Amino acid sequence: RHIIMSCDVDVAVGVIALGWILTGGIFLSFIPQIFALIFRKSVEGLSLLSCVLNYLSNASTILNACLLQWSLFVCCTSLEGGLCANNLLPILQLAPPWICTFLILMMYTIYAPKEGYEVLDSPRPVPTSLIGRVMHNLLAVNNAYAVRFLLFTVFFTLAASGVGLALVFKYGYTSQSVTIYAYVFGIFAAVLQIVLYLPQIYETHCARHPGSLSIVTLLIQIPGSGLVVFFQIQSHGAWTTWLPYLCSAAQQIILVAQCSYYEIQRRRQKNITIST
């Protein structure tokens, strides 16, 4: 048995089921990070710059998917509710990361220090190298900076979406203008994913521990990103839609290895202290 995924493509029920499972799993993968922020009431160890880049990448990815697969919305005008939902699954699957990364960014503005510039409990010395000073200034933020970044992401979302919708209604969703605009955001998302976790990797290196960064979330998202790539390819999604997830998974593996190393070092130091 098959279910219609688009107006002219049949997709097996097993692929549909996998798609919905992945959609729910993607949402659940962000829960440990959200709870970590709520329970710790601190952003220690979490990079604001990575949070912002993560949101911008996810917002660009879902905009890319919506514009390149606008025909799925058109098909829904002739499909029943359940079939329409299945039809939109390749796009709905990208919604949880977009929504959850915005929630994490909002919580960052809530729990960021209201005064001062240091996120960590103990101030770090200012590096002497040029690159080190730049990274130090980018990562040493307070609540005011977080709010400005949050407002910027809202403006970015509204402006990018507004222009995209204007192009669709003026030139049609099959026009070259819409396609080029969509690919620009897809490539932009991929570029962001390449550098997305670099500020977080640097933050974790300076802190020497994960802090409020959830390793559980990373461990869930790594295989999840691989499955999303598989599902997007099976659903004939554009490479600009699934490439960001592939780049993200590679960097998350590096970050998990880094956090695991510092955790092992911390436990060894603790055992040495106890034995002495």
Side-chain angles (χ1 to χ4, degrees):
R1 183 187 170 205
H2 290 70
I3 292 178
I4 301 298
M5 174 62 80
S6 63
C7 292
D8 56 355
V9 178
D10 290 343
V11 178
V13 173
V15 176
I16 293 289
L18 175 62
W20 282 112
I21 292 173
L22 282 176
T23 303
I26 292 171
F27 173 75
L28 293 176
S29 70
F30 285 94
I31 298 300
Q33 180 62 75
I34 293 174
F35 280 174
L37 289 170
I38 294 175
F39 291 143
R40 290 174 62 94
K41 299 187 184 303
S42 169
V43 295
E44 178 185 1
L46 195 63
S47 168
L48 172 62
L49 191 56
S50 282
C51 290
V52 173
L53 294 179
N54 200 359
Y55 172 79
L56 293 177
S57 177
N58 283 296
S60 299
T61 298
I62 195 170
L63 177 60
N64 165 271
C66 287
L67 293 177
L68 291 181
Q69 302 181 71
W70 193 267
S71 60
L72 299 181
F73 295 102
V74 177
C75 289
C76 274
T77 60
S78 60
L79 295 175
E80 298 178 354
L83 291 178
C84 175
N86 290 333
N87 190 62
L88 292 175
L89 188 53
I91 295 176
L92 295 177
Q93 188 179 78
L94 305 176
W98 171 51
I99 295 172
C100 291
T101 50
F102 184 74
L103 290 177
I104 291 173
L105 188 56
M106 286 185 63
M107 285 191 290
Y108 197 110
T109 64
I110 295 174
Y111 296 122
K114 299 299 185 292
E115 298 179 357
Y117 287 85
E118 287 297 337
V119 171
L120 298 182
D121 293 335
S122 56
R124 288 171 288 177
V126 179
T128 56
S129 65
L130 176 62
I131 296 179
R133 289 198 301 271
V134 171
M135 292 300 298
H136 176 86
N137 292 333
L138 285 173
L139 296 172
V141 297
N142 61 4
N143 177 266
Y145 278 84
V147 171
R148 291 168 189 169
F149 275 115
L150 178 65
L151 293 177
F152 168 75
T153 59
V154 172
F155 171 78
F156 172 86
T157 303
L158 294 177
S161 302
V163 172
L165 289 174
L167 291 175
V168 168
F169 290 116
K170 183 175 182 178
Y171 300 106
Y173 66 90
T174 60
S175 67
Q176 187 177 16
S177 298
V178 173
T179 301
I180 293 176
Y181 187 75
Y183 270 101
V184 166
F185 277 93
I187 295 173
F188 177 62
V191 172
L192 287 182
Q193 286 290 353
I194 293 175
V195 300
L196 169 61
Y197 285 101
L198 294 182
Q200 183 60 64
I201 291 173
Y202 180 82
E203 178 74 21
T204 304
H205 169 72
C206 293
R208 300 287 175 176
H209 62 80
S212 294
L213 178 66
S214 173
I215 299 179
V216 176
T217 288
L218 294 174
L219 289 174
I220 297 175
Q221 289 182 349
I222 290 172
S225 296
L227 290 174
V228 169
V229 171
F230 169 78
F231 182 80
Q232 289 293 328
I233 293 176
Q234 289 293 313
S235 302
H236 307 288
W239 64 269
T240 53
T241 301
W242 55 260
L243 182 60
Y245 284 88
L246 187 62
C247 297
S248 177
Q251 293 178 86
Q252 286 173 331
I253 291 174
I254 296 175
L255 191 55
V256 167
Q258 184 185 31
C259 292
S260 300
Y261 171 77
Y262 289 134
E263 183 64 19
I264 292 173
Q265 291 293 99
R266 185 189 67 81
R267 292 187 180 184
R268 284 181 178 176
Q269 186 63 38
K270 182 178 179 180
N271 293 334
I272 293 175
T273 303
I274 293 176
S275 60
T276 55

